[in-house]
Amino acid sequence: MNKLKIAIQKSGRLYEESLQLLKDCGINISDGKDQLKVAAQNFPLEVLFLRNSDIPQYLEDGVADIAIVGENLLLETEKNVETVYQLGFSKCRVSLAVPKEIEDNGLQYFNGKKIATSYPNTLQKFLKENNIRAEIHTISGSVEIAPNIGLADGICDIVSSGSTLFKNGLRETVTLLTSEAVLAKTSKLNDEKEELLERLLFRIKAVLRAKNSKYILMNVPNEKIDLISKILPVLKSPTVIPLAEKGWSSIHSVIDQDRFWEVIDELKQNGAQDILIIPIDKMVI
């Protein structure tokens, strides 16, 4: 049987989270720190540990079937690959930054200036769309040092927390795009590997839905069941179980993590009591 070849970073931002996602999907592999290729023990999957910058080319060439990679890198390299699913972790943005003593926050500051970046294609496209003429200096690694050594007036780089900019005396001014880890695939998959990808994607979706959701239980007066049910963002409809105490029922449902406190407050205001929140390991719909 064919094995699906997935490329992930050998090291860096995505390495740990990519391995953890595969583990959460029930796929057992070693960490790959001393190997470039590792076969999964319980799923037809082979993991290729590659340099981050090489992954898009490996995908386009069909050496790797799929990859967990930053969306920003795919946009920068413009390879013929397809984004299959957004994974929701390793979120960042590609932004312009200037020395902290510069008070100008506008894009016009960069007109006629020098900008150092590891993302020349992304930057060039953005500047062209906004009618900004600037000189782009393409460098790899340690972009933040460029203004301090007189190489550039500002930089364009990925930003997560902003701590690296702060440590180098820079501040973020303009965001070009936001990014997160995505599952991407080559255009050269055969039918058998497409089927394997669907099986893997099924597991990934179940894991990510669970991480973004909580199981909720509460006691509710019977006359409030319809009202409470309308508040809950449920998959279909909540489960209602009569309690031993007359006039009361227990309602079970699923709540979205992002709306957690907002919904809890509304439930309490409308009569819900004894609310329990339980983590969900997997959620299959």
Side-chain angles (χ1 to χ4, degrees):
M1 183 180 186
N2 282 336
K3 289 185 177 180
L4 194 64
K5 296 180 181 179
I6 180 171
I8 68 172
Q9 282 187 3
K10 176 67 176 174
S11 61
R13 296 185 306 125
L14 292 174
Y15 172 75
E16 293 289 348
E17 289 178 292
S18 298
L19 286 180
Q20 186 61 52
L21 177 60
L22 294 178
K23 181 180 178 181
D24 292 341
C25 289
I27 299 172
N28 297 328
I29 58 171
S30 61
D31 60 17
K33 285 186 177 179
D34 299 315
Q35 302 177 73
L36 296 178
K37 183 171 67 173
V38 178
Q41 301 169 18
N42 56 349
F43 191 87
L45 187 74
E46 193 170 65
V47 182
L48 308 178
F49 294 98
L50 304 174
R51 286 198 314 172
N52 187 52
S53 58
D54 292 337
I55 290 177
Q57 187 65 60
Y58 275 72
L59 268 182
E60 184 177 63
D61 293 343
V63 176
D65 300 313
I66 60 175
I68 296 176
V69 64
E71 190 176 15
N72 58 295
L73 183 60
L74 294 182
L75 292 171
E76 171 63 25
T77 56
E78 300 178 331
K79 299 298 182 181
N80 182 28
V81 300
E82 179 183 341
T83 297
V84 178
Y85 200 71
Q86 293 187 304
L87 300 175
F89 59 81
S90 197
K91 293 186 177 181
C92 65
R93 53 199 177 272
V94 177
S95 295
L96 290 163
V98 298
K100 60 183 180 181
E101 62 270 15
I102 301 297
E103 297 181 357
D104 194 336
N105 290 319
L107 183 57
Q108 289 298 322
Y109 164 79
F110 293 95
N111 237 331
K113 299 293 197 303
K114 297 177 182 178
I115 307 173
T117 186
S118 298
Y119 296 89
N121 294 332
T122 301
L123 177 57
Q124 183 62 53
K125 182 179 179 181
F126 181 80
L127 294 178
K128 184 176 180 180
E129 289 173 350
N130 289 276
N131 297 314
I132 300 295
R133 292 178 176 271
E135 184 179 333
I136 298 175
H137 285 259
T138 303
I139 57 178
S140 58
S142 302
V143 174
E144 295 85 2
I145 199 174
N148 293 327
I149 61 175
L151 179 64
D153 302 294
I155 69 167
C156 175
D157 202 13
I158 57 171
V159 180
S160 295
S161 66
S163 61
T164 304
L165 292 180
F166 179 80
K167 290 175 184 177
N168 286 276
L170 302 173
R171 63 184 186 85
E172 186 178 3
T173 56
V174 180
T175 298
L176 281 65
L177 58 89
T178 57
S179 174
E180 63 185 79
V182 297
L183 183 68
K185 72 172 185 176
T186 182
S187 60
K188 300 179 180 181
L189 282 189
N190 59 36
D191 291 342
E192 186 177 0
K193 290 191 174 182
E194 284 282 5
E195 185 178 344
L196 288 176
L197 174 56
E198 285 303 314
R199 286 173 55 190
L200 176 62
L201 190 57
F202 176 82
R203 296 190 186 195
I204 289 174
K205 288 179 178 179
V207 168
L208 295 182
R209 285 193 198 102
K211 286 184 177 180
N212 294 326
S213 304
K214 299 292 183 184
Y215 192 76
I216 183 169
L217 305 84
M218 72 204 78
N219 295 331
V220 177
N222 286 345
E223 66 271 16
K224 298 278 190 165
I225 290 176
D226 288 343
L227 178 59
I228 294 295
S229 297
K230 291 176 181 177
I231 296 171
L232 289 169
V234 296
L235 299 177
K236 285 194 172 95
S237 62
T239 300
V240 180
I241 304 172
L243 296 179
E245 184 175 345
K246 188 175 181 180
W248 285 79
S249 293
S250 176
I251 291 183
H252 298 209
S253 187
V254 172
I255 185 172
D256 186 75
Q257 177 73 36
D258 293 337
R259 293 193 58 211
F260 176 79
W261 290 112
E262 174 189 343
V263 173
I264 292 297
D265 289 342
E266 194 172 356
L267 292 172
K268 289 185 65 177
Q269 291 169 7
N270 286 279
Q273 298 181 16
D274 307 320
I275 301 172
L276 297 179
I277 307 298
I278 303 173
I280 301 172
D281 186 43
K282 306 288 187 297
M283 191 165 78
V284 179
I285 60 174

